[in-house]
Amino acid sequence: MYIRSLISGLLILATGSASIAASEVNVYSYRQSILIKPMFDAFTEQTGIKVNTVFAKKGLVERLKNEGRNSPADLIFTVDIGPLETVLQENLTQSVESSVLSANIPAEFRDPDGHWFGLTSRARLIVASKDRVDTNQIGSYEDLASPAMQGKVCTRSGKHAYMVALIASVISHTDEATAKDWLSGVKQNLARRPQGNDRAQVKAIHSGECDVAVINSYYLGKMLSDEEQSAWANAVNIIFPNQKDRGTHMNIAGMALTAAAPNKENAIKLMEFLTSDQAQRMYAELNHEYPVNPAVEWSELVNSWGTFKPDNLPLVEIAKHRATASKMVDEIGYEF
Ligand code: FE
């Protein structure tokens, strides 16, 4: 009798500890806390599952690699297709099969084998000085290399993931030789050595250093809500490139389930929640990104920029050309 009650006591203990483990999910994130914490809180409120998060600007992939099978991380969150493909290639992810995720996320914004999923998308825009550029002169990424743009173009480093993805998308739609000619043409037109982040390019247009630049769409929203930077954003017209052909280059912020994931079920629940109407709506409002879920409305500001034709080529195709794109930047001495 005593032994039986001891055993049932142990069983209760075991079940008890299992239910503690079952009520959490661990996230490694390169994305700032302010951009995802409200969605995590909403998830916890609805499900009772606690979300533990480690934020860092660097080193999370290395940490995941070093921890191996013992990693506490269930999910990794990052921006740009580059890092998402890196975690996949390092065998740090596992495939997720979820009808909810496939229904909520268009095919171009997820890995065909379910190793990563987009959460939000962003357009790589051309911005041009309202005072000095006739918007009829520039309608495509190709136009950045046209003689009319001589000495007028500014970009950030060609080695930055956002630029590598753009160059890779040009390679995907043309071929290596054509893309190389194009990038050399853009280099010829540069007003200064590639430098600074996306916002710094808009600042340089405002100060008169350059006339056109390429930037991710959400930075316009961020700049408009900043006292100093709103003047920069107001100095430029927005151009959605390549509306007459392939459409505007898009990239994502996304997530992947780790290979070790100790709380796999909860992790998939969180992934699904983050693509739902409620969470996608929060994303849209918080960072002026485009929801990946096409059923979800854009923020009022993003809406004011107008509708456009996005490049629907799957990101996995673009990612295949990242290495070539990065090498091309060196070969033509883009960083002079
Ligand atoms: Fe960014």
Side-chain angles (χ1 to χ4, degrees):
M1 201 59 202
Y2 170 75
I3 286 177
R4 186 170 290 179
S5 71
L6 184 69
I7 288 172
S8 76
L10 282 172
L11 278 176
I12 287 163
L13 266 179
T15 325
S17 71
S19 77
I20 288 166
S23 68
E24 61 183 11
V25 54
N26 302 318
V27 172
Y28 283 2
S29 175
Y30 285 109
R31 293 220 91 180
Q32 298 157 7
S33 147
I34 187 175
L35 298 178
I36 50 177
K37 179 96 171 30
M39 280 71 97
F40 290 171
D41 289 347
F43 174 73
T44 303
E45 204 175 293
Q46 266 180 36
T47 61
I49 300 167
K50 192 178 163 221
V51 185
N52 307 307
T53 325
V54 175
F55 292 102
K57 279 199 164 170
K58 279 184 178 158
L60 290 177
V61 173
E62 293 72 16
R63 181 164 167 180
L64 211 52
K65 221 163 125 179
N66 293 337
E67 288 167 345
R69 301 303 304 181
N70 297 319
S71 177
D74 297 296
L75 293 166
I76 181 155
F77 284 65
T78 182
V79 291
D80 197 271
I81 178 63
L84 288 168
E85 277 287 312
T86 305
V87 285
L88 192 168
Q89 278 151 20
E90 301 267 6
N91 297 317
L92 298 170
T93 59
Q94 61 175 302
S95 170
V96 176
E97 248 195 71
S98 154
S99 54
V100 175
L101 293 177
S102 337
N104 288 349
I105 309 174
E108 64 267 28
F109 293 147
R110 53 183 158 84
D111 175 55
D113 299 320
H115 281 267
W116 52 257
F117 297 86
L119 275 170
T120 59
S121 76
R122 54 279 298 283
R124 194 107 183 112
L125 304 172
I126 292 176
V127 286
S129 164
K130 280 181 182 166
D131 297 338
R132 301 182 299 278
V133 179
D134 171 0
T135 46
N136 292 319
Q137 274 188 318
I138 183 149
S140 66
Y141 300 114
E142 284 69 20
D143 289 342
L144 294 168
S146 82
M149 291 296 125
Q150 178 74 51
K152 294 181 178 177
V153 179
C154 279
T155 74
R156 72 189 305 160
S157 164
K159 300 292 264 185
H160 188 273
Y162 299 164
M163 291 302 291
V164 170
L166 174 62
I167 299 162
S169 88
V170 176
I171 300 172
S172 311
H173 283 286
T174 58
D175 56 61
E176 204 179 320
T178 309
K180 201 168 182 175
D181 280 349
W182 166 72
L183 192 62
S184 305
V186 178
K187 184 201 164 183
Q188 291 291 318
N189 285 344
L190 289 175
R192 60 175 187 179
R193 191 177 60 78
Q195 60 194 273
N197 56 20
D198 278 12
R199 291 189 230 206
Q201 315 311 315
V202 184
K203 183 185 184 187
I205 292 176
H206 177 250
S207 71
E209 213 177 331
C210 26
D211 291 350
V212 298
V214 282
I215 67 160
N216 281 356
S217 48
Y218 53 86
Y219 286 115
L220 281 168
K222 286 175 186 267
M223 287 187 288
L224 285 169
S225 52
D226 180 284
E227 210 181 315
E228 185 198 359
Q229 298 175 3
S230 60
W232 310 349
N234 283 319
V236 299
N237 280 315
I238 301 167
I239 297 156
F240 286 98
N242 298 73
Q243 294 305 285
K244 290 184 184 147
D245 44 78
R246 64 184 182 266
T248 298
H249 169 59
M250 306 297 289
N251 208 321
I252 52 168
M255 58 187 171
L257 182 67
T258 67
N263 307 290
K264 184 174 164 178
E265 256 177 60
N266 291 344
I268 295 172
K269 272 186 202 157
L270 178 57
M271 292 173 104
E272 292 177 344
F273 172 79
L274 292 173
T275 65
S276 70
D277 286 20
Q278 185 193 350
Q280 287 282 299
R281 189 76 204 121
M282 290 171 83
Y283 268 117
E285 289 298 333
L286 268 167
N287 200 36
H288 302 296
E289 287 182 85
Y290 294 95
V292 285
N293 185 333
V296 175
E297 258 182 72
W298 300 353
S299 79
E300 203 183 315
L301 176 71
V302 170
N303 231 342
S304 75
W305 300 335
T307 53
F308 65 101
K309 177 186 175 185
D311 178 358
N312 287 327
L313 187 71
L315 279 174
V316 69
E317 290 302 318
I318 295 174
K320 284 179 189 162
H321 301 283
R322 286 186 77 258
T324 310
S326 181
K327 209 173 71 199
M328 194 178 283
V329 170
D330 288 333
E331 280 167 1
I332 70 151
Y334 190 79
E335 306 290 290
F336 66 94

